[in-house]
Amino acid sequence: MLAAWAIEALFSWPAWLFDRIRHPVVWIGSLIAVLDDRLNRPDLGHAAARLAGVLTLLLVVVLVAVIAVGISHWLPATPAGFLLEAIIASSLLASRSLYAHVNAVSEALQGSGLASARDAVSRIVGRDPAQLDAPAISRASLESLAENASDGVVAPLFWGAVLGLPGIAAYKAINTLDSMIGHKTSRYRYFGWASARVDDLANLVPARLTALAFAIAGFRAHSFRVAWYDAGKHRSPNAGWPEAAMAGALGVRLSGPRRYNGETTTDPWLNADGPDPDARDVSGGLRLYLRAMSLVAVCLALVALAGFAG
């Protein structure tokens, strides 16, 4: 996982390779879309829709895991095989692209203007960018940075460290299922129920590890307190942990009311006594992210060394 992470951090997924073969997550998404189209029929009752969703979850995760197991067993136990497996695993991490997308928002807020910042933030969040002022854009980018540090970096690394290539591949399948069908809309409320619940379970430990990394890297005891007391206020059982830890570390408030699809939510604030973040806080969030991920890398290295020593 350390080798995979180093490859992803240095090179990400090259555009020329994406143009030729797309991306493993795109392949997984295409499979999910086919099953969604075939199995998620509008005439299904609630129980049947849940059963179809469970079947979709099992088909996708088992197929992806079996392919990953086959690749792991097929690759030779040589430095070349190790490197190739690391390259494959690197495609399932997103630390470099996450930094790049949030940094684009930061640069737009500090130089290009509000219109450019709205365009940049629309690439990483689902809320209506036309309704966002500068503080709301800053909040949205920091929330995305915190949540995706868990979903896109720490969680896949965690499951990869525990179960190897099959673990990171299965997690990515679960996470993609949740992002595509794990919504509480009329179409997916029952069909996506199983995918959403399994994603919650898969992120239970990684989300809290990410929060711990942010709190330690933030050098502020207040971050621990905000994570402990405010994480449970979030709509997600997991995303609230890294978001609350980041809010406490930066001394700003996150979450709160926002607009999705023309509707305003009433989400409570995380670190409600803090001020709204600004462009400088987004830059600070990126520095915090780099420190926290460096801490995670050190921990992974220590685990690896302990494994070798054992």
Side-chain angles (χ1 to χ4, degrees):
M1 288 303 103
L2 280 171
W5 196 4
I7 293 167
E8 186 273 334
L10 288 172
F11 305 108
S12 193
W13 189 253
W16 63 265
L17 189 58
F18 183 88
D19 291 338
R20 285 166 175 77
I21 65 171
R22 311 305 286 174
H23 188 277
V25 174
V26 176
W27 307 340
I28 295 170
S30 297
L31 174 60
I32 296 169
V34 169
L35 293 172
D36 180 19
D37 183 62
R38 299 286 179 84
L39 300 179
N40 189 15
R41 301 195 309 272
D43 60 323
L44 292 177
H46 296 170
R50 283 193 176 185
L51 183 60
V54 170
L55 178 60
T56 298
L57 170 69
L58 291 174
L59 285 172
V60 173
V61 175
V62 170
L63 178 60
V64 169
V66 166
I67 292 173
V69 168
I71 292 172
S72 292
H73 282 282
W74 174 76
L75 290 173
T78 64
F82 173 89
L83 179 61
L84 185 54
E85 189 165 4
I87 291 172
I88 295 169
S90 74
S91 69
L92 303 174
L93 295 166
S95 64
R96 183 185 177 98
S97 61
L98 175 59
Y99 182 93
H101 279 97
V102 177
N103 189 54
V105 179
S106 176
E107 291 179 346
L109 283 171
Q110 297 181 69
S112 304
L114 198 58
S116 296
R118 285 171 174 161
D119 179 66
V121 82
S122 69
R123 303 174 192 275
I124 56 174
V125 298
R127 63 198 74 171
D128 182 5
Q131 304 293 325
L132 302 180
D133 57 11
I137 291 172
S138 299
R139 287 198 306 271
S141 59
L142 287 172
E143 290 159 16
S144 180
L145 178 62
E147 181 177 1
N148 286 293
S150 177
D151 292 0
V153 186
V154 176
L157 285 170
F158 174 84
W159 288 110
V162 172
L163 298 172
L165 183 62
I168 191 173
Y171 170 78
K172 206 63 183 180
I174 292 168
N175 192 241
T176 306
L177 279 158
D178 179 62
S179 66
M180 290 183 65
I181 66 174
H183 310 297
K184 294 181 179 180
T185 61
S186 57
R187 177 173 176 81
Y188 295 117
R189 183 175 301 276
Y190 300 100
F191 182 75
W193 171 82
S195 293
R197 298 290 79 75
V198 171
D199 183 73
D200 287 344
L201 289 173
N203 284 294
L204 192 68
V205 173
R208 286 149 182 80
L209 291 176
T210 307
L212 182 61
F214 280 141
I216 294 173
F219 310 116
R220 292 187 65 181
H222 183 61
S223 182
F224 291 96
R225 290 194 295 270
V226 174
W228 182 258
Y229 289 108
D230 285 3
K233 299 175 182 178
H234 200 281
R235 66 170 72 185
S236 165
N238 295 315
W241 285 91
E243 287 186 25
M246 178 169 280
L250 297 176
V252 299
R253 65 177 185 175
L254 296 177
S255 194
R258 75 280 305 274
R259 288 182 64 82
Y260 287 107
N261 301 319
E263 297 183 3
T264 301
T265 69
T266 57
D267 295 34
W269 294 101
L270 304 178
N271 194 31
D273 294 335
D276 279 323
D278 57 21
R280 291 171 299 178
D281 294 309
V282 178
S283 296
L286 286 167
R287 292 192 296 271
L288 174 65
Y289 167 75
L290 292 178
R291 293 196 302 271
M293 294 306 100
S294 297
L295 179 62
V296 172
V298 170
C299 292
L300 267 179
L302 292 175
V303 170
L305 288 172
F308 285 127

